[in-house]
Amino acid sequence: MAKKRKDRMAKTALITGITGQDGSYLAELLLAKGYQVYGLVRRSSSPNLRRILHIEDRIKLLQGDLTDDSSLAIALQASQPNEIYNLAAQSFVATSWNQPTLTGDVTGLGVTRLLEAVRACCKDTRVYQASSSEMFGHVEESPQNEKTIFHPRSPYACAKVYAYHLAVNYRESYKMFVCNGILFNHESPRRGLEFVTRKITDGVARIYHGLAKELVMGNLEAKRDWGYAGDYVKAMWLMLQQDKPDDYVIATGESHTVREFVELAFQEIGLDCKDYVRVDEHLLRPADVHELCGDASKAKRVLGWKAEITFKELVSMMVKADLKSVKHQMVAAIQDKDDE
């Protein structure tokens, strides 16, 4: 009987974008806290579940898409969540220049569809909206906090600004519990290879193992506030545990150039980056964001949150993981060849 009472009291969460970096870390966190976790995944002939394979048997996956209203309503009815974490998006800035309409539809209007579905069938559900430091764009002040003016510099950032203001409007107009987490760059070994940090650490690992001779980069002088994704998902959860919904900047308060990231990554393998890095102007963006640095004092004061992993520890963690991953790939390739 006691176990049944505990089960009835357990919270239920729905995570959109559960197969991504943040989704996988958040799912682990919520499971550890006793949540029943549902994840929204798009219908695909070969879904990419590699980040959640180790917990797949402990979560329930539902098919759905932010571009399809009815699938969202069905997912909410099936999961009946106490909390929703909207992490799904077309989240790659470079791709947003090539696919601006898709980015706007998924990253921007997708939030409209989700909040409308929540308003219609589970208005009391608490919602976390993944906002982004890219919204600040061409900044007029540094560091950036919750009152800093947005000046987006990409279709992705513009879509995120729309979603941010929409979340605020639903909170104010319909008295819904909706929070924006304005997260600055957060990385991990689970980061996608299309993102600059994983491009660097994977490239360094391939050079170390003799699979590549150079690392081709774009803007090395861009400065970002980089933290660890495992730390940042804790802030997402904390936001939905407060008495009142609000918006929070989540950041380390330090900014480092891409060049610094590259230098530290090569130092991990005992090589000088100057001998291996080549800049290709074709990789530069039409309009770039030069520097972002966040002020998370509000999150520290209200949520009791702060970043735990340092920049240097983060780079080291990612390089070591990719060294191991590339070596594993090499061994697997040899075994496959031997089996032919």
Side-chain angles (χ1 to χ4, degrees), residues 63-334:
Q63 289 185 8
D65 197 303
L66 291 183
T67 63
D68 184 79
D69 306 71
S70 60
S71 70
L72 297 176
I74 292 172
L76 292 181
Q77 291 168 2
S79 58
Q80 294 292 308
N82 301 106
E83 300 169 4
I84 296 173
Y85 297 85
N86 184 36
L87 311 183
Q90 190 304 97
S91 58
F92 189 38
V93 175
T95 296
S96 76
W97 287 105
N98 298 323
Q99 300 181 27
T101 304
L102 173 67
T103 302
D105 193 20
V106 177
T107 308
L109 286 175
V111 179
T112 310
R113 298 184 185 99
L114 178 61
L115 290 178
E116 273 296 288
V118 172
R119 188 168 74 92
C121 63
C122 51
K123 191 178 176 182
D124 292 333
T125 297
R126 298 187 170 201
V127 181
Y128 169 84
Q129 167 57 24
S131 291
S132 168
S133 60
E134 288 288 327
M135 300 187 303
F136 294 122
H138 186 68
V139 297
E140 299 293 335
E141 62 179 19
S142 191
Q144 297 85 53
N145 59 37
E146 292 81 5
K147 296 182 179 180
T148 301
I149 296 173
F150 298 142
H151 188 152
R153 298 269 282 174
S154 68
Y156 165 78
C158 290
K160 281 292 187 181
V161 170
Y162 169 85
Y164 170 90
H165 285 300
L166 193 78
V168 173
N169 270 266
Y170 271 66
R171 182 169 72 215
E172 295 176 350
S173 301
Y174 301 118
K175 309 305 176 187
M176 292 169 60
F177 196 109
V178 186
C179 296
N180 280 296
I182 308 173
L183 272 57
F184 280 64
N185 293 64
H186 46 290
E187 319 296 320
S188 76
R190 300 180 192 176
R191 192 57 142 156
L193 286 169
E194 68 272 23
F195 291 89
V196 67
T197 51
R198 269 303 303 289
K199 176 182 178 179
I200 293 168
T201 57
D202 177 74
V204 165
R206 292 183 181 282
I207 289 171
Y208 178 84
H209 286 296
L211 299 181
K213 295 182 178 180
E214 65 177 5
L215 177 63
V216 183
M217 298 293 296
N219 182 8
L220 292 175
E221 306 313 319
K223 299 184 74 173
R224 294 292 185 271
D225 184 327
W226 276 302
Y228 172 51
D231 286 342
Y232 284 40
V233 298
K234 297 175 185 176
M236 299 177 187
W237 177 78
L238 285 168
M239 289 180 208
L240 298 195
Q241 312 314 308
Q242 304 307 305
D243 293 334
K244 296 180 181 180
D246 206 344
D247 308 319
Y248 300 87
V249 163
I250 303 299
T252 69
E254 299 178 5
S255 66
H256 300 271
T257 63
V258 175
R259 185 183 300 278
E260 289 178 80
F261 199 110
V262 170
E263 290 172 348
L264 281 175
F266 273 95
Q267 285 176 21
E268 279 289 318
I269 60 171
L271 297 177
D272 188 338
C273 66
K274 296 177 182 177
D275 298 328
Y276 299 93
V277 176
R278 176 171 63 85
V279 174
D280 184 346
E281 293 186 358
H282 292 93
L283 296 178
L284 300 178
R285 297 173 184 172
D288 208 347
V289 176
H290 302 297
E291 179 177 1
L292 293 173
C293 184
D295 174 9
S297 57
K298 178 180 176 180
K300 184 177 181 179
R301 183 180 70 255
V302 179
L303 306 179
W305 179 90
K306 67 176 181 177
E308 301 291 343
I309 300 297
T310 67
F311 175 66
K312 189 173 182 179
E313 290 170 339
L314 174 65
V315 177
S316 178
M317 174 199 304
M318 293 178 66
V319 171
K320 289 176 180 176
D322 273 326
L323 286 171
K324 184 177 180 180
S325 175
V326 171
K327 183 177 181 180
H328 178 77
Q329 293 171 28
M330 293 172 65
V331 171
I334 293 171

